[in-house]
């Protein structure tokens, strides 16, 4: 014992290179001897003393009473021997160390550092190693075994023939033929009484019998030797231990670090692919361990089926975050009053609407394949992030269609083979991005299909066992909640995965969301209902009610095109809703209100806790906001209708929105006309949005909705004139003073600018004040739905798009230029990261994202990426401002041509590429960058020889291309270095923001001592100038000041609000020469 526990320096003598094969000999002998002694203690002193049952004692988690001190010495010796042989550390339980009093024998990483590790040499040694691992964990307060130890044991197990149960379960999970568990089947399962649940089709009943033979229920097992029996026990135990291990996660820090390195180091993109592929591989290993545990252990383990689904969903989300969205990431079309003067969608009866939506769904389903392959296991074995693995996936799928490609095919195989060839043609012609996205869509669809099967089995098992009993009710509620979140997540972003990926139809949305609503309602019922009580076993259901309300809201959105019924505007507030939209919206508001009341009661007792983060949810404030945001969206949709439908739409909206108030008006609404009622609801919603920001300073959703409310205020005030004037209209002060944040003396868009600035007041890596939701344990369904990166990017994109539109309306070119500089220095988003890498066949891209073309190429996901779309919108908005300024000033701005040329260069395309686009022929608004450049060039009056016709006639296609080419040639002469300065670091401005002064300027303070020498030191000097008469807030004027060295500098100032007489500002000016006379200064 003394020799075995000695330090390595005394344990091993120095060995020469010729003796390397002897290095593991001593720990191998020590392990064999120690295991032999351990087996004697366990078998001879164990609980089972019958000769036929003595071997059961070997698998105990601790030594028998009376032998634990000696057993502890033996196990500590084994820990050191296994450290030397296999490289991992076993520490044993704290109780065991205290019993034997051998704390000095505890292992540390420096005790033995093996230069080479080995697998167990035999099945017997593997079983002995596993039994030692069991004892190291103990029984009470069990410690987890290191994952590398479990994998070491698993790698040493002999290959076994797959049994019949495993073949059936895997065949059920991985079958690519036929449909299992459509949404209507899940609805039937959840609504059926547990005693009447039918047997699960796809898996025979004998599989669920834990005592069934490993080969089949009707064939007895063949006799096996003791080693094989031990190997099977070890395999079951290892599978169970690995199945209980935590899920592998790719942290947000890893994503941000890889994305950041991709901007400064091209290898960062490769690193992102490697880390994503590694995470995919770890999730696949976890899934295989869980499935092995179900196949060789307990198939009725509903928690195991649920864990398997979580692994699949995590891998699907991992891939979906890197694919992009067909609708793009910057959807803020209804943020401001559009130029199309209203919403003129045609209405139809409910029957006709449902029929039309179903036909649309059937049309979109034609030519679409969710996935390819008869065996879906390929989507688990392979990694989408690796280009080599993706190629293996494609080839393996195609191997199943060899006969079909030769002509021996069924109709289904013929279509699948055709799709496979079509995807392969993308690769052959070099469209690696399209090829990668096509396979990615099928990866996501296949993984979600298998996850759905796993969750369905878990629910079915619990239902057959009586899931509504308290013992299983909470687990059933958790699984039903996860199933509801799965269906709801499929609707988020309206993305239909598979090939080709496309936008989801309203019919399909409603089918999935109705199933999700059923799941959330089942979870509420299984949790003990919605009533609060003092039962400790009762689960909080406010988050489930919240999700149920969101489901009803999305269902209502699919019925918006239903026609209004006659005399609907004459219905009273107590009348039953006649339109499906109103019925579901009313139920949605009821769910939000019930959720808020329960959450408020829990929060009053401190149950929800303080939330200070800036993530995507804020507990009670989130529910409060959602209730009033839904009221506002009802009202907004109503006022956007055409005049023939607006009266009935507003009457419907008022009935819905006046049920729940934030601050109910003291006077009744019955005496008010419809416009006053609508305005009263708007004022109440805006007050609620402002309150959200007061309660939670980091709550960002209410900022966007508050700004949107003020943008649409002119239409709420008067729909006819409001649509004409747009968001630059004003509101009378008699009504405007009721809206929080609205300045009635200026256009509404200027008030919105002050509100939106709250999200952009600081320079942040993520551009706006939105943060990723923390992935902590015990998240609500809403938090889980906001965890994916694509949801986070969609939220950011919506806010930034709204900010761009605000700056365009308020004529803020400087702010847009700053935003473009920020976008240029922002790391690539994940879809762009993988798309640009795919263009280089999986390697680092050839160019930076600032050099990529901003032209829209059809509905390509590349063109609709987060960063590219925002750069396109900001650049277009800046060009629109230039056009607006040129239209007001016929002489043109002095720097208009330079600014317009910069906008054109940011497109990163040639004139020929623009001429080949269909948008070129759609009119002057198609390319504001082109129009701004041409108009700025014509405003200089330098091209009369080229332009033969009148300048007002330049918009014809041929004339416009002539002017465009001439403008580009001129700009290349005037600004030869422009292309290198578009996204570079901007030079520090020599002027600061002006401020109002009432007295003489104060002397400048001494600059701080930096400790560094400067070649030409400058000092800050304060100037004060008078504001010219006739200017109002927001107007600009030029002025000239004289610096200390006698030189003059021309600057441009903006008049702030308040009509000041003077403005004070500071400049970094060079010091006056020592021999300069005071008289010269005065001059």
């Amino acid at each position: 014992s003394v020799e075995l526990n000695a330090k390595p320096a005394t344990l091993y003598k120095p060995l020469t290179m010729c003796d390397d094969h002897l290095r593991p000999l001593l720990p191998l002998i020590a392990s064999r001897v120690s295991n032999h002694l351990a087996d004697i203690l366990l078998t001879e002193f164990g609980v089972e003393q019958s000769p036929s049952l003595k071997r059961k004692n070997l698998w105990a988690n601790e030594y028998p009473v009376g032998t634990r001190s000696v057993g502890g010495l033996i196990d500590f010796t084994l820990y050191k021997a296994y450290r030397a042989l296999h490289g991992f550390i076993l520490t044993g339980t704290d109780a065991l160390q205290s019993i034997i009093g051998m704390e000095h024998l505890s292992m540390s990483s420096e005790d033995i550092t093996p230069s080479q590790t080995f697998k167990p040499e035999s099945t017997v040694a593997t079983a002995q190693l596993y039994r030692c691992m069991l004892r190291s964990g103990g029984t009470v307060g069990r410690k987890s075994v290191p994952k590398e130890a479990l994998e070491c044991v698993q790698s040493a197990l002999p290959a076994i023939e797959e049994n019949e149960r495993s073949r059936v379960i895997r065949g059920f999970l991985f079958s690519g033929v036929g449909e299992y568990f459509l949404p209507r089947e899940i609805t039937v399962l959840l609504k059926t009484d547990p005693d009447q649940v039918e047997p699960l089709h796809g898996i025979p009943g004998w599989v669920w019998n834990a005592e069934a033979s490993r080969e089949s229920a009707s064939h007895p097992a063949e006799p096996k030797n003791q080693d094989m029996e031990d190997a099977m026990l070890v395999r079951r135990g290892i599978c169970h231990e690995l199945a209980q291990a935590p899920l592998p996660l790719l942290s947000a820090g890893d994503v941000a670090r890889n994305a950041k390195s991709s901007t400064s180091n091209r290898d960062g993109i490769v690193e992102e692919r490697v880390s994503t592929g590694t995470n995919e591989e770890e999730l696949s290993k976890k899934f295989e361990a869980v499935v092995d545990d179900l196949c060789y252990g307990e198939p009725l383990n509903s928690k195991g089926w649920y864990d398997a689904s979580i692994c699949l969903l995590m891998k699907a989300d991992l891939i979906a975050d890197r694919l992009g969205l067909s609708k793009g990431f910057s959807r803020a079309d209804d943020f401001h009053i559009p130029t199309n003067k209203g919403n003129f969608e045609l209405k139809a009866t409910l029957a006709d609407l449902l029929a039309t939506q179903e036909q649309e769904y059937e049309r979109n389903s034609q030519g679409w394949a969710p996935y390819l392959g008869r065996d879906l296991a390929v989507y688990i074995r392979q990694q989408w992030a690796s280009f080599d693995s993706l190629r293996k996936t494609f080839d393996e799928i195609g191997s199943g269609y060899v006969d079909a490609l030769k002509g021996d095919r069924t109709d289904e195989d013929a279509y699948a083979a055709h799709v496979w060839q079509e995807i392969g043609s993308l690769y052959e012609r070099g469209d690696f991005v399209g090829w990668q996205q096509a396979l990615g869509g099928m990866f996501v669809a296949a993984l979600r299909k298998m996850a759905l099967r796993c969750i369905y089995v878990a629910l079915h098992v619990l239902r057959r066992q009586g899931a509504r009993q308290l013992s299983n009710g909470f687990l059933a509620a958790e699984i039903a909640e996860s199933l509801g979140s799965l269906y709801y997540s499929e609707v988020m972003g309206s993305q239909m995965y598979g090939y080709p990926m496309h936008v989801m139809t309203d019919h399909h949305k409603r089918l999935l969301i109705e199933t999700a609503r059923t799941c959330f309602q089942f979870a509420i019922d299984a949790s003990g209902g919605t009533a609060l009580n003092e039962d400790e076993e009762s689960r909080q259901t406010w988050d489930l009610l919240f999700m149920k309300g969101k489901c009803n809201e999305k269902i209502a959105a699919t019925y918006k095109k239903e026609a209004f019924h006659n005399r609907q505007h004459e219905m009273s507030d107590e009348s039953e809703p006649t339109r499906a939209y109103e019925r579901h919206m009313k139920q949605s508001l009821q769910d939000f209100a019930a959720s808020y009341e329960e959450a408020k009661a829990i929060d009053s007792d401190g149950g929800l806790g303080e939330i200070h983060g800036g993530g995507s949810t804020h507990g009670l404030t989130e529910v409060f906001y959602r209730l009033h945001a839904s009221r506002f969206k009802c009202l907004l949709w109503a006022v956007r209708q055409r005049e023939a439908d607006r009266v009935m739409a507003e009457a419907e909206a008022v009935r819905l929105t006046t049920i729940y108030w934030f601050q109910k008006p003291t006077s009744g609404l019955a005496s008010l006309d419809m416009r006053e009622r609508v305005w009263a609801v708007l004022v109440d919603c805006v007050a609620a949005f402002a309150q959200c920001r007061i309660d939670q300073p980091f709550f960002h959703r209410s900022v966007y909705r508050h700004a949107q409310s003020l943008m649409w205020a002119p239409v709420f005030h008067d729909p006819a004139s409001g649509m004409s004037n747009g968001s630059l209209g004003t509101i009378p002060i008699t009504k405007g003073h009721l809206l929080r944040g609205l300045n009635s003396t200026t256009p509404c868009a200027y008030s919105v600018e002050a509100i939106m600035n709250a999200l952009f007041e600081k320079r942040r890596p993520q551009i706006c004040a939105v943060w990723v939701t923390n992935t902590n344990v015990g998240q609500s369904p809403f938090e889980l739905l906001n965890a994916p990166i694509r949801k986070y990017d969609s939220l950011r994109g919506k806010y930034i798009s709204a900010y761009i539109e605000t700056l365009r309306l308020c004529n803020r070119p400087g702010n847009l230029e700053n935003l473009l500089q920020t976008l240029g220095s922002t790391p690539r988003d994940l879809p762009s990261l993988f798309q640009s890498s795919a263009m280089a066949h999986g390697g680092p891209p050839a160019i930076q994202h600032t050099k990529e073309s901003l032209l829209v190429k059809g509905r390509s996901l590349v063109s609709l990426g987060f960063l590219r779309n925002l750069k396109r919108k900001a650049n277009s908005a800046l060009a629109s401002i230039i056009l607006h300024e040129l239209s007001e000033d016929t002489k043109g701005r002095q720097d208009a041509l330079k600014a317009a040329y910069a906008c054109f260069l940011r497109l990163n395309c040639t004139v020929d590429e623009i001429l080949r686009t269909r948008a070129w022929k759609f009119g002057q608004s198609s390319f504001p960058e082109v129009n701004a450049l041409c108009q700025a060039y014509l405003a200089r009056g330098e091209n009369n020889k080229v332009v033969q016709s009148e300048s007002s006639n330049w918009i014809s296609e041929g004339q416009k291309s002539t002017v465009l080419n001439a403008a580009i040639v001129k700009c290349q002469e005037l600004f030869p270095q422009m292309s290198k300065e578009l996204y570079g670091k901007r030079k520090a401005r020599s002027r600061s923001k002006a401020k109002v002064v009432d007295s003489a300027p104060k002397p400048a303070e001494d600059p701080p001592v930096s400790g560094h020498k400067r070649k030409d030191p400058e000092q800050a000097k304060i100037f004060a100038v008078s504001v010219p008469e006739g200017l109002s807030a927001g107007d600009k004027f030029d002025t000239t000041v004289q610096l200390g060295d006698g030189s003059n500098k021309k600057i441009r100032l903006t008049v702030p609000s308040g009509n000041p007489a003077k403005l004070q500002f500071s400049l970094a000016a060079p010091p006056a020469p020592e021999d300069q006379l005071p008289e010269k200064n005065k001059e």
Side-chain angles (χ1 to χ4, degrees), residues 373-509:
R374 294 186 178 91
D375 185 9
L376 302 185
V378 63
Y379 297 103
I380 299 175
R381 288 194 302 270
Q382 302 294 347
Q383 293 83 50
W384 174 82
S386 168
F387 234 63
D388 293 337
S389 179
L390 205 56
R391 185 69 204 184
K392 293 178 183 177
T393 303
F394 179 76
D395 294 339
E396 187 174 343
I397 292 173
S399 64
Y401 299 115
V402 174
D403 295 336
L405 293 172
K406 292 179 179 179
D408 183 13
R409 59 180 75 179
T410 62
D411 291 341
E412 185 177 350
D413 286 345
Y415 175 70
H418 170 72
V419 173
W420 182 81
Q421 287 181 317
E422 183 178 327
I423 295 175
S425 66
L426 297 174
Y427 188 92
E428 295 300 329
R429 63 173 180 257
D431 185 7
F432 301 128
V433 176
W435 180 76
Q436 175 184 261
Q437 289 180 344
L439 290 175
M442 292 193 296
F443 259 88
V444 175
L447 291 168
R448 285 184 170 179
K449 178 64 68 176
M450 289 183 283
L452 175 61
R453 293 173 182 174
C454 292
I455 297 181
Y456 186 91
V457 173
L459 266 180
H460 188 275
V461 169
L462 287 174
R463 297 289 284 148
R464 291 294 297 270
Q465 295 174 347
R468 289 188 182 276
Q469 300 298 323
L470 190 59
S471 57
N472 290 328
F474 290 163
L475 180 57
E478 181 181 1
I479 295 176
E481 174 187 313
S482 179
L483 183 58
S485 300
L486 168 60
Y487 277 116
Y488 192 94
S489 65
E490 290 195 32
V491 179
M492 281 190 349
S494 301
Q495 185 73 7
M496 194 72 180
Y497 291 97
Y499 177 78
M501 290 187 289
H502 58 272
V503 178
M504 190 177 292
T505 63
D506 284 343
H507 174 80
H508 196 196
K509 283 182 185 178

Side-chain angles (χ1 to χ4, degrees), residues 100-366:
I100 62 176
M102 299 293 289
E103 292 83 354
H104 61 282
L105 290 178
S106 61
M107 290 290 296
S108 66
S109 58
E110 292 83 14
D111 284 341
I112 299 175
T113 305
S115 59
Q116 185 179 4
T117 59
F118 307 88
K119 292 182 180 180
E121 69 275 14
S122 64
T123 304
V124 174
T126 303
Q128 289 174 336
L129 171 57
Y130 176 69
R131 292 198 291 264
C132 181
M133 289 161 47
L134 287 180
R135 296 193 298 271
S136 72
T139 303
V140 180
R142 180 172 175 77
K143 286 187 175 182
S144 60
V145 179
K147 184 180 178 182
E148 56 268 25
L150 298 173
E151 292 177 344
C152 175
V153 173
Q154 188 180 42
S155 64
L157 289 173
I160 62 171
E161 183 180 354
E162 189 177 24
N163 61 29
E164 187 64 22
R165 173 187 288 161
S166 176
R167 279 192 288 270
V168 170
I169 291 178
R170 291 178 183 274
F172 163 79
L173 282 179
F174 303 144
S175 173
V177 181
E179 283 287 344
Y180 288 109
F181 316 134
L182 297 174
R184 59 176 175 270
E185 297 180 60
I186 294 175
T187 302
V188 171
L189 172 66
L190 295 177
K191 292 184 176 181
T192 303
D193 189 86
D195 298 331
Q196 299 177 356
V197 174
E198 297 181 357
L200 185 69
H201 65 275
I203 300 180
W206 64 264
V207 173
W208 309 112
N209 184 6
E211 301 300 326
S213 168
R214 294 185 179 87
E215 295 301 323
S216 70
S218 57
H219 296 82
E222 297 179 2
K224 300 182 182 294
N225 59 41
Q226 192 61 55
D227 288 350
M228 293 301 295
E229 289 290 344
D230 288 350
M232 179 57 70
L233 288 174
V234 172
R235 186 178 300 278
R236 290 180 181 177
I238 291 295
C239 290
H240 184 72
E241 290 288 344
L242 289 174
Q244 303 302 315
L247 291 169
L249 298 175
L250 182 63
S251 66
D254 294 334
V255 174
R257 183 166 51 256
N258 293 335
K260 184 177 180 180
S261 62
S262 68
T263 59
S264 57
N265 180 10
R266 296 170 62 204
D267 293 337
I269 295 180
V270 180
E271 293 173 6
E272 173 60 31
R273 278 193 175 274
V274 172
S275 62
T276 303
T278 301
N279 197 243
E280 287 185 70
E281 185 178 3
E282 291 298 319
L283 287 169
S284 299
K285 289 181 180 179
K286 170 70 174 178
F287 172 80
E288 288 292 342
V290 175
V291 173
D292 286 343
D293 188 35
L294 293 170
C295 293
Y296 301 108
E298 177 53 69
L300 287 173
N301 180 12
S302 56
K303 184 66 166 58
W305 288 99
Y306 175 62
D307 290 343
S309 71
I310 296 300
C311 294
L312 296 172
L313 290 177
M314 289 182 64
K315 182 173 180 178
D317 279 341
L318 196 72
I319 299 172
D321 284 340
R322 288 152 179 79
L323 285 176
L325 295 174
S326 298
K327 276 191 171 183
F329 290 95
S330 53
R331 289 168 284 172
D333 297 334
D334 61 346
F335 176 70
H336 64 97
I337 301 175
T339 56
N340 58 6
K341 309 305 180 187
N343 184 8
F344 299 144
E345 59 186 15
L346 298 178
K347 303 291 192 298
T349 63
L350 182 59
D352 292 342
L353 176 64
L354 295 178
T356 302
Q357 290 178 347
E358 188 171 0
Q359 292 171 4
E360 181 188 13
Y361 169 70
E362 292 174 354
R363 285 196 304 269
N364 282 19
S365 299
Q366 296 175 357

Side-chain angles (χ1 to χ4, degrees), residues 1045-1076:
D1045 58 355
S1047 61
N1048 296 328
K1049 187 174 183 64
K1050 186 178 181 180
I1051 60 174
R1052 174 169 293 184
L1053 300 176
T1054 302
V1055 181
S1057 58
N1059 297 324
K1062 290 185 177 182
L1063 295 181
Q1064 176 180 306
F1065 58 93
S1066 61
L1067 288 177
E1074 295 180 359
D1075 58 348
Q1076 195 172 28

Side-chain angles (χ1 to χ4, degrees), residues 893-905:
R893 293 191 314 167
Q894 184 177 357
D895 57 345
L897 183 62
K898 182 177 182 180
Y901 183 52
C903 290
F904 177 81
L905 289 178

